[in-house]
Amino acid sequence: DVKVTQSSRYLVKRTGEKVFLECVQDMDHENMFWYRQDPGLGLRLIYFSYDVKMKEKGDIPEGYSVSREKKERFSLILESASTNQTSMYLCASSLIGTGLSGNTIYFGEGSWLTVV
Amino acid sequence: RKEVEQDPGPFNVPEGATVAFNCTYSNSASQSFFWYRQDCRKEPKLLMSVYSSGNEDGRFTAQLNRASQYISLLIRDSKLSDSATYLCVVRDFGNEKLTFGTGTRLTIIP
């Protein structure tokens, strides 16, 4: 079974703090993603990466950065946390490619971040 | 217009009934389609892929209408355990990203 692990499940941070959210996958997937999910807005893509040290902006990258130094690990960084970044953050991974099986995306359990 | 649109619901349906959801997508170049299920405060999980010819998995049937740019999910003989949010997901040709609808919330009532 694919395993995507988000090490921090519940965090409370202060405005202005730097926040790191870590994600590790164990299936040698090329693609990794960070989404945030908010009521009424669904899942919105923040950043994704299709290879080590490669990254692309998603739909809402402002206020975030990412790091992918190893294939299995994709980190989301909030440089200076703000209250509007309170949300559930979901990491995901998938194989690269155009086949249907390559498009299946596997999610971690989510990280619930509250910024006060 | 949103790329992927779903009726948010909630749908409150008696146990044993049949329920259908639709989802529309705006990009005619979209290539792959999926339904994901998300339980409360959990991560989304793949329910089924949607093929051009339509496909069935037990009580679940998915259909794709490329001409009208919508996909559907039919659940027959609904169970209490079907209560969840159902997410419509679309992937565009030549793109590794997936676009999610906001989800349709379903509650099965005993």
Side-chain angles (χ1 to χ4, degrees):
Chain A
D1 267 0
V2 175
K3 187 81 172 166
V4 180
T5 303
Q6 295 180 233
S7 52
S8 302
R9 295 295 316 281
Y10 301 95
L11 306 95
V12 179
K13 297 291 182 180
R14 294 193 181 278
T15 301
E17 274 193 76
K18 192 168 186 175
V19 181
F20 292 87
L21 299 179
E22 305 285 346
C23 175
V24 177
Q25 51 95 3
D26 65 0
M27 284 302 292
D28 204 34
H29 284 172
E30 293 88 356
N31 295 331
M32 294 190 76
F33 307 83
W34 275 106
Y35 289 87
R36 64 178 281 180
Q37 187 173 30
D38 302 286
L41 296 176
L43 275 82
R44 293 180 292 166
L45 182 64
I46 304 171
Y47 268 97
F48 74 100
S49 168
Y50 51 87
D51 201 354
V52 174
K53 296 194 187 295
M54 305 299 287
K55 61 184 180 185
E56 283 200 26
K57 292 181 180 180
D59 302 315
I60 52 163
E62 296 78 18
Y64 304 94
S65 61
V66 289
S67 171
R68 190 150 182 218
E69 297 296 319
K70 293 184 178 181
K71 190 175 185 180
E72 67 271 18
R73 188 179 296 270
F74 192 36
S75 303
L76 180 69
I77 303 150
L78 286 66
E79 297 289 344
S80 177
S82 62
T83 54
N84 63 13
Q85 292 178 310
T86 292
S87 186
M88 180 167 87
Y89 290 86
L90 285 161
C91 175
S93 72
S94 72
L95 287 168
I96 207 161
T98 57
L100 280 175
S101 62
N103 293 323
T104 302
I105 190 169
Y106 299 89
F107 287 90
E109 291 183 306
S111 298
W112 295 84
L113 172 67
T114 301
V115 182
V116 298
Chain B
R1 186 185 168 189
K2 286 183 185 175
E3 290 183 60
V4 179
E5 291 207 60
Q6 295 181 250
D7 182 341
F11 284 55
N12 299 313
V13 172
E15 195 175 4
T18 295
V19 60
F21 309 134
N22 282 338
C23 163
T24 58
Y25 60 95
S26 60
N27 187 351
S28 59
S30 295
Q31 182 186 41
S32 306
F33 308 90
F34 309 88
W35 284 102
Y36 274 71
R37 172 196 167 122
Q38 186 174 24
D39 294 301
C40 188
R41 298 183 71 84
K42 298 280 192 179
E43 74 275 23
K45 292 185 179 177
L46 178 67
L47 178 66
M48 58 197 303
S49 302
V50 186
Y51 304 126
S52 296
S53 55
N55 48 301
E56 194 172 301
D57 183 3
R59 297 181 293 110
F60 297 84
T61 301
Q63 298 275 358
L64 167 63
N65 184 320
R66 284 192 185 271
S68 301
Q69 293 181 210
Y70 78 82
I71 68 173
S72 63
L73 178 67
L74 184 79
I75 306 174
R76 290 181 300 279
D77 187 24
S78 52
K79 312 288 184 195
L80 295 176
S81 57
D82 295 333
S83 297
T85 296
Y86 290 84
L87 302 168
C88 173
V89 185
V90 172
R91 177 181 174 271
D92 294 339
F93 180 78
N95 194 335
E96 295 295 328
K97 295 187 298 181
L98 297 174
T99 302
F100 288 77
T102 54
T104 298
R105 202 160 117 210
L106 172 67
T107 301
I108 305 300
I109 303 164

